[in-house]
Amino acid sequence: MILYLHGFRSSSLSAKSQQLQQAMAAAGRTHELAAPDLPDDPHAAIALAMAHAKQLCPSGNMQNLTVIGSSLGGYYATWLKEELNCKAVLINPAIYAVRDLSTQLGHTTKFHSDGSFSFTAASVQALASLYRPVLTDMQHYYLLACTGDEVLDWQEMTQRYDGARLTLIQGGDHAFSMFERYLPAILDFTASK
């Protein structure tokens, strides 16, 4: 079971989300994937992600769940992994979301639609409440990071997830535009025990 969480200002229409949905459909596993459009409010985003996790794993056994998160979705995936004792794949994840997104206050637009929203100080406070200072069971994390990420610092990523399975790409970009190339390794990790 896989729950995909997109990044800030993104949606289920992002290239990574679409490629993952296509790969799961080609494998006949569409029913094992949820890739929702997350609300802009962090607490609402987490609540929706939790609802999808429970739908994917109705027995309550979250050990069969992998949360894949990109950028801010990686920040959320970390919280969910620690809360649910599942696995997490992190793609150029936000490490210090409060610091990095406090520069985004105000009214902004979404990347894949005409939609817009306001990102407020309350949104930043909500992000702060979701930070997990201590990470456990590092073997249940898989970090994919690009040294060429123009938005977030790959060194902060590798320090935060020290001990996790790691694929460090020399160069690359924040969007992780080579995602499709790494899908087999990601899906292999989701299937591992």
Side-chain angles (χ1 to χ4, degrees), residues 58-131:
S59 70
N61 180 5
M62 298 294 172
Q63 293 178 349
N64 296 325
L65 176 69
T66 302
V67 184
I68 301 175
S70 175
S71 192
L72 180 58
Y75 186 82
Y76 293 152
T78 299
W79 188 90
L80 287 161
K81 185 265 174 213
E82 294 298 327
E83 191 71 17
L84 299 175
N85 194 30
C86 60
K87 290 188 284 188
V89 175
L90 311 168
I91 302 161
N92 287 334
I95 304 302
Y96 303 111
V98 170
R99 177 195 69 197
D100 297 332
L101 289 174
S102 62
T103 63
Q104 303 296 312
L105 293 176
H107 201 71
T108 190
T109 57
K110 298 191 178 231
F111 291 131
H112 307 286
S113 74
D114 295 335
S116 64
F117 66 99
S118 291
F119 193 71
T120 65
S123 304
V124 173
Q125 289 177 335
L127 286 175
S129 72
L130 297 172
Y131 183 74

Side-chain angles (χ1 to χ4, degrees), residues 10-31:
S10 192
S11 74
S12 61
L13 297 175
S14 71
K16 290 186 293 294
S17 179
Q18 293 294 303
Q19 290 166 358
L20 179 59
Q21 290 177 55
Q22 291 164 6
M24 294 295 281
R29 297 176 57 195
T30 303
H31 64 286

Side-chain angles (χ1 to χ4, degrees), residues 102-167:
S102 62
T103 63
Q104 303 296 312
L105 293 176
H107 201 71
T108 190
T109 57
K110 298 191 178 231
F111 291 131
H112 307 286
S113 74
D114 295 335
S116 64
F117 66 99
S118 291
F119 193 71
T120 65
S123 304
V124 173
Q125 289 177 335
L127 286 175
S129 72
L130 297 172
Y131 183 74
R132 299 303 284 254
V134 177
L135 303 181
T136 60
D137 299 321
M138 295 310 293
Q139 72 275 11
H140 292 150
Y141 283 103
Y142 180 17
L143 171 63
L144 296 99
C146 293
T147 64
D149 188 324
E150 69 280 10
V151 177
L152 300 172
D153 184 345
W154 67 270
Q155 293 172 314
E156 288 180 348
M157 297 174 203
T158 57
Q159 289 169 3
R160 171 95 163 125
Y161 298 100
D162 184 35
R165 178 175 174 180
L166 171 65
T167 297

